[in-house]
Amino acid sequence: RGTHPVVGVATRDCHLTEPGYKRLVGSTGTSWGWCLKTMKVYHDSRKFRLGVSYPRDIDEKLRVPDTFYMILDMDRGTLAFQANNDFLGVAFSGLRGEELFPIVSAVWGHCEVSLTYVGCHQFERERSLA
């Protein structure tokens, strides 16, 4: 995974390249990311340079498996993650109304990442209105 493996979401204004050896996703106000190595979330790193621990009640033994879920709920405006059968909680909120795209950042040259869209979930109340 390298030293800065970060997954998250970004607007179309997010920079896709940066000079130097650093974490890209979450470094500006146009992206929100979770670093799988430091177990911290980042957004606009000029304000939150050190990141915020995530999950909040982190277990020192927690290692993110090769396959995990990134859960973007645009109705609620939240981004969360799930590893194995454990919902890790909401990492970011306040995303409602943003046009967002999945994004991955890694500085390791031989890194390989796959993203798979699993689908959307309609709540029972929404189905009855359709």
Side-chain angles (χ1 to χ4, degrees), residues 85-99:
N85 290 322
D86 297 324
F87 180 72
L88 302 177
V90 171
F92 298 101
S93 60
L95 303 175
R96 183 184 276 179
E98 297 280 358
E99 183 182 22

Side-chain angles (χ1 to χ4, degrees), residues 9-99:
V9 293
T11 69
R12 69 177 63 249
D13 297 325
C14 179
H15 295 229
L16 299 179
T17 60
E18 280 286 324
Y21 189 78
K22 57 186 163 186
R23 180 182 51 266
L24 178 64
V25 178
S27 63
T28 68
T30 58
S31 63
W32 297 258
W34 179 34
C35 181
L36 306 178
K37 184 164 182 129
T38 64
M39 303 298 281
K40 292 184 178 186
V41 290
Y42 296 90
H43 170 66
D44 198 357
S45 289
R46 290 171 298 182
K47 295 178 184 173
F48 303 101
R49 182 165 285 129
L50 300 178
V52 176
S53 293
Y54 176 84
R56 302 269 187 247
D57 56 348
I58 191 167
D59 180 351
E60 302 261 335
K61 298 177 198 165
L62 177 65
R63 297 290 177 256
V64 181
D66 287 344
T67 301
F68 59 91
Y69 294 97
M70 179 171 71
I71 305 162
L72 179 61
D73 184 337
M74 292 308 291
D75 292 325
R76 291 187 172 101
T78 60
L79 179 65
F81 294 90
Q82 179 176 327
N84 299 320
N85 290 322
D86 297 324
F87 180 72
L88 302 177
V90 171
F92 298 101
S93 60
L95 303 175
R96 183 184 276 179
E98 297 280 358
E99 183 182 22

